[in-house]
Structures are given as C-alpha cells and as structure tokens.
Amino acid sequence: DVYVIPSLDTEKFAEADLEVRVTLRNNQDAPVSGDIVLDLQDAGVCNVPFELQAGEEKIVSLTPEQAANLHVENPRVWWSLDLGTPELYDLNVAVETEGAVSDKTDVTFGIREITSRLNEHGYRQFTLNGKDILLKGAGWTDDIFLRDKAEDLERQVEYVKHMNMNLIRFENI
C-alpha cells in the first residue's frame, strides 16, 4: 500500500511537502533489507533504505527529510473544476531487495489541502486550498445491466461538469 499526504503552502502556493506512507511486509523467515525507490513525476528519483525482521510488517513514513524529491517547488495545485484545473501527479514506488524489484505500484494524486470547520451557524464549511467552497454534487450509479461504455461515462461526467457540480459520490465502486 502507498498513500500520499500533501502539505501545501496555501498562502503563496510556492511549495509543498509530501508524506508518503508505504506498507512493507517481509514474508520470509529471515531479515531483509533494501531500498524503497520513489520516482515522482517532475521531481526525480530517490532511494530510501529499509530493514525488516522476519515476518515483520510496518508502515514506513517518508518525508522530504528522507527523500529530497518529496519537497516540490512551484507545485501544480489540484483544484475542483469550478475553481481551476484538477492537476495530478504520478508516483512510481518500487521496493528493491538484493538488486531486484520485489514489488512495485503506481499512484496518482493531487497536491491540495482540504479542511473543514463548523461555521458561525453551526454548519460544516469545507475549505479547498485555503478557499471556502460549497460542495455541490450528486450520487452516481452504474447502468443496472453493466452495459457502460467509455464514451457513455465520459458524456455523463460532462453532464455533471455542465451542471456546475464539484462532487460525485460513487455508489457501486
């Protein structure tokens, strides 16, 4: 498992720090060591060493202190469509032991900050990248007979965009 947690400078949008959490598991009866290889789009590759005891499973939290490419200057910020462009990054993560790739995965994520608070009326107020937003959306369910085609799905998402919605709740995924 790989999970990316962005921390964005929402005043100037000049930099962001990423925390990458990687779940590692050693299924062998002996200790193992190697490198976690992080290849972040537009930021390069970093190798971070790790060690696991026999049968051990742990979550490794990687920050810019361990991997310099997790500090992003002038990030492409993710916005909802009504406020901008939903920019995405690709992160390729590989675990290497004894000079070979043991496992690998790719994740796509956006650099953004989403928070919420109770406003003066007691309602939940959401904030995207420091800007208050109103969540406008609807539920989504697939064709009951599973006859969806890519062009049909694209057209339906375009309908959502044209209705000025910024949220879709998926029912069947």
Side-chain angles (χ1 to χ4, degrees):
D1 286 340
V2 175
Y3 187 70
V4 180
I5 303 167
S7 176
L8 175 65
D9 164 23
T10 57
E11 292 204 15
K12 297 180 182 175
F13 301 105
E15 60 185 358
D17 287 330
L18 306 177
E19 177 185 348
V20 177
R21 293 183 184 168
V22 180
T23 303
L24 299 177
R25 183 176 49 240
N26 179 5
N27 292 326
Q28 298 181 15
D29 294 331
V32 66
S33 62
D35 286 320
I36 301 170
V37 182
L38 302 173
D39 183 359
L40 178 61
Q41 177 184 356
D42 302 332
V45 179
C46 267
N47 291 16
V48 180
F50 74 90
E51 291 183 5
L52 290 174
Q53 298 304 312
E56 182 181 11
E57 178 176 324
K58 69 178 174 181
I59 297 173
V60 177
S61 181
L62 304 171
T63 63
E65 287 76 32
Q66 292 93 13
N69 65 342
L70 296 180
H71 177 78
V72 181
E73 297 285 335
N74 301 310
R76 294 181 287 108
V77 178
W78 185 96
W79 291 96
S80 57
L81 280 174
D82 54 337
L83 296 176
T85 305
E87 297 283 351
L88 296 173
Y89 284 82
D90 293 318
L91 174 65
N92 306 310
V93 180
V95 175
E96 294 181 354
T97 58
E98 300 176 4
V101 174
S102 172
D103 198 2
K104 65 180 178 175
T105 191
D106 302 323
V107 293
T108 302
F109 67 95
I111 295 179
R112 83 296 185 265
E113 181 178 290
I114 299 173
T115 59
S116 73
R117 67 183 188 287
L118 293 180
N119 67 17
E120 63 274 7
H121 304 291
Y123 299 118
R124 177 73 48 197
Q125 175 65 61
F126 288 90
T127 304
L128 172 61
N129 301 330
K131 310 245 185 274
D132 287 347
I133 61 168
L134 175 63
L135 298 180
K136 301 172 286 184
W140 177 288
T141 188
D142 292 317
D143 180 287
I144 193 170
F145 298 111
L146 302 175
R147 298 175 298 190
D148 290 321
K149 297 182 215 147
E151 57 270 8
D152 292 338
L153 295 174
E154 287 178 32
R155 187 181 68 251
Q156 292 169 30
V157 170
E158 286 299 317
Y159 291 154
V160 170
K161 291 195 280 190
H162 288 298
M163 289 187 287
N164 257 352
M165 293 187 184
N166 58 15
L167 170 72
I168 301 174
R169 183 187 73 230
F170 292 95
E171 299 284 340
N172 296 332
I173 294 189

